[in-house]
């Protein structure tokens, strides 16, 4: 009998028997290969997720990859057997924001796989087929499980709109930061700086294409065209803004705790900085991430440090929150 993880309430979870749910019209049944964990999953387990952004009891898991086993009425049968990843936001498709392609701003309210809808910490996942993105037949499904955070960074990269020769920088050296380096490298920047709290990711940053690495305690330059912030720490946004030249472009993706230092509005106006924010990934960003991955320009595997079975879910959550710099991306295999 296959299993699933159910978080009954904060701090309480069970490994329960799992029965696949047959796909209804417009749906597909996916055999899950791997699920990635991030800080949001730890928030779900610990009960720190903001009100309205989680619903217990819950099967978690929003970063995943798998293979389509069956399709419901109205879904092409040719999808069966294909390797896929899937968008998490369960948008309504009919409101003005969805019609404009901004599905993460759906007016119908927040619904997302692994937070308010059943996630992928189970042998199978049944979801609307319209959310799926098909991968090449030879795709590595363990690597593909990281395409959800990659899609979020793809949204940031599209907003950054970097051009060849631009001087670009990334603040943050976690999974999102390393993906930002890879996306920016793909546009042939004139310089690509990574800024982190510690130098433990300097080598990996250069492996992915960074031309320079600095820790935040060093004197930082202030003449970059574009900065993508991924750290989410209390002072990360201000650090990122200080790196910009007058008229530079800043994209914020990190979500700091309440009370974090905000950007100085006087500085934004006087230096005419352009500021964008990203929360989640719309279909355009997902398609871009999958395309870059399929082209071999995105390499998630060096970010994976631990792969565990479903029964070790509690250990996986512990690793994600350990603060150990040797812990990168943690995958669970249902």
């Amino acid at each position: 009998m296959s299993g699933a993880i159910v978080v009954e309430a904060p701090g309480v979870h069970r490994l329960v028997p799992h029965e696949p749910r047959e796909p209804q019209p417009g749906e597909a049944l996916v055999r899950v290969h791997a699920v990635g964990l991030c800080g949001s999953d730890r928030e779900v387990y610990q009960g720190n997720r903001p009100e309205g952004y989680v619903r217990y009891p819950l099967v978690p898991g929003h970063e995943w990859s798998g293979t389509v086993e069956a399709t419901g009425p109205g879904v092409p049968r040719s999808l069966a057997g294909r390797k896929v990843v899937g968008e998490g936001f369960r948008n309504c498709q009919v409101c003005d924001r969805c019609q404009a392609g901004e599905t993460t701003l759906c007016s119908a309210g927040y619904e997302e796989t692994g937070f308010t809808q059943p996630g992928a910490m189970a042998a199978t996942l049944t979801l609307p087929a319209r959310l799926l993105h098909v991968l090449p037949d030879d795709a590595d499904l363990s690597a593909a499980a990281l395409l959800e955070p990659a899609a979020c960074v793809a949204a940031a990269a599209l907003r950054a709109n970097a051009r060849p020769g631009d001087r670009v920088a990334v603040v943050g050296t976690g999974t999102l930061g390393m993906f930002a380096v890879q996306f920016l490298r793909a546009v042939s920047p004139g310089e690509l700086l990574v800024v982190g709290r510690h130098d433990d990711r300097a080598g990996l940053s250069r492996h992915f294409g960074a031309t320079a690495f600095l820790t935040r305690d060093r004197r930082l330059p202030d003449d970059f065209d574009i900065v993508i912030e991924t750290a989410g720490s209390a002072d990360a946004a201000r650090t990122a803004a200080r790196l910009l030249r007058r008229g530079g472009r800043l994209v914020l993706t990190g979500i700091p705790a309440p009370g974090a230092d905000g950007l100085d509005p006087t500085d934004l106006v006087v230096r005419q900085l352009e500021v964008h924010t990203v929360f989640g990934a719309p279909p355009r960003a997902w398609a871009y991430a999958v395309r870059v991955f399929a082209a071999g320009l995105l390499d998630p595997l060096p970010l994976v440090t631990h792969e565990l079975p479903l029964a070790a879910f509690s250990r996986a959550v512990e690793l994600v929150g350990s603060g150990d710099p040797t812990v990168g991306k943690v995958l669970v295999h249902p």
Side-chain angles (χ1 to χ4, degrees):
M1 177 74 69
S2 58
I5 292 292
V6 175
V7 179
E8 301 280 3
V12 180
H13 79 280
R14 293 186 299 131
L15 178 61
V16 302
H18 172 74
E19 289 290 343
R21 181 174 71 79
E22 288 300 313
Q24 299 303 302
E27 291 185 328
L29 170 66
V30 177
R31 175 68 56 179
V32 178
H33 173 80
V35 188
L37 276 81
C38 75
S40 297
D41 296 293
R42 186 160 55 92
E43 289 177 352
V44 167
Y45 189 67
Q46 294 180 336
N48 300 327
R49 187 83 171 160
E51 186 177 355
Y53 287 85
V54 65
R55 188 179 301 133
Y56 301 101
L58 173 71
V59 177
H62 64 288
E63 305 177 7
W64 59 269
S65 64
T67 303
V68 176
E69 280 203 347
T71 59
V75 179
R77 293 183 180 180
S78 59
L79 194 60
R82 299 303 303 273
K83 296 178 178 179
V84 294
V85 290
E87 299 175 33
F89 281 82
R90 303 293 186 93
N91 51 82
C92 74
Q93 294 188 289
V94 297
C95 70
D96 61 342
R97 292 303 85 206
C98 284
Q99 293 286 356
E102 298 175 338
T103 54
T104 60
L105 299 176
C106 178
S107 301
Y110 172 79
E111 294 286 346
E112 186 175 3
T113 299
F115 295 109
T116 63
Q117 296 291 329
M121 286 287 178
T124 67
L125 173 64
T126 303
L127 74 168
R130 61 182 171 79
L131 299 177
L132 298 179
H133 290 262
V134 177
L135 302 171
D137 291 338
D138 61 352
D140 185 318
L141 283 177
S142 293
L146 277 68
L147 284 178
E148 192 277 341
C152 295
V153 178
L158 290 170
R159 292 226 181 227
N161 194 28
R163 295 169 297 183
D166 279 345
R167 302 185 71 237
V168 300
V170 175
V171 174
T173 59
T175 298
L176 297 183
M178 295 299 96
F179 277 137
V181 172
Q182 295 183 64
F183 279 113
L184 290 172
R185 176 197 61 185
V187 300
S188 301
E191 184 175 348
L192 176 47
L193 168 69
V194 175
V195 177
R197 286 199 175 277
H198 310 287
D199 61 5
D200 55 291
R201 289 274 190 153
L204 191 59
S205 298
R206 290 191 172 91
H207 168 75
F208 286 136
T211 59
F213 184 97
L214 291 173
T215 51
R216 291 197 205 179
D217 57 351
R218 303 280 297 278
R219 181 174 179 175
L220 300 177
D222 60 1
D223 56 354
F224 277 77
D225 301 302
I226 292 167
V227 178
I228 296 180
E229 179 276 322
T230 67
S233 57
D235 59 349
R238 288 198 174 214
T239 298
R242 286 196 296 268
L243 288 165
L244 288 166
R245 61 164 173 80
R246 290 172 60 87
R249 188 177 303 121
L250 172 62
V251 185
L252 303 174
T253 71
I255 305 177
D261 292 338
L263 297 174
D264 181 353
T266 302
D267 180 56
L268 297 181
V269 173
V270 171
R271 291 205 290 143
Q272 300 181 64
L273 300 182
E274 184 180 332
V275 180
H276 298 269
T277 61
V278 168
F279 177 64
R284 176 174 175 240
W286 270 95
Y288 180 48
V290 170
R291 187 165 62 249
V292 173
F293 174 68
L297 299 174
L298 197 65
D299 184 12
L301 277 181
L303 301 174
V304 178
T305 59
H306 295 76
E307 299 188 58
L308 302 171
L310 191 64
F313 171 75
S314 58
R315 173 58 178 160
V317 173
E318 180 183 317
L319 285 168
V320 170
S322 68
D324 184 342
T326 65
V327 176
K329 198 66 184 178
V330 178
L331 296 184
V332 169
H333 291 278

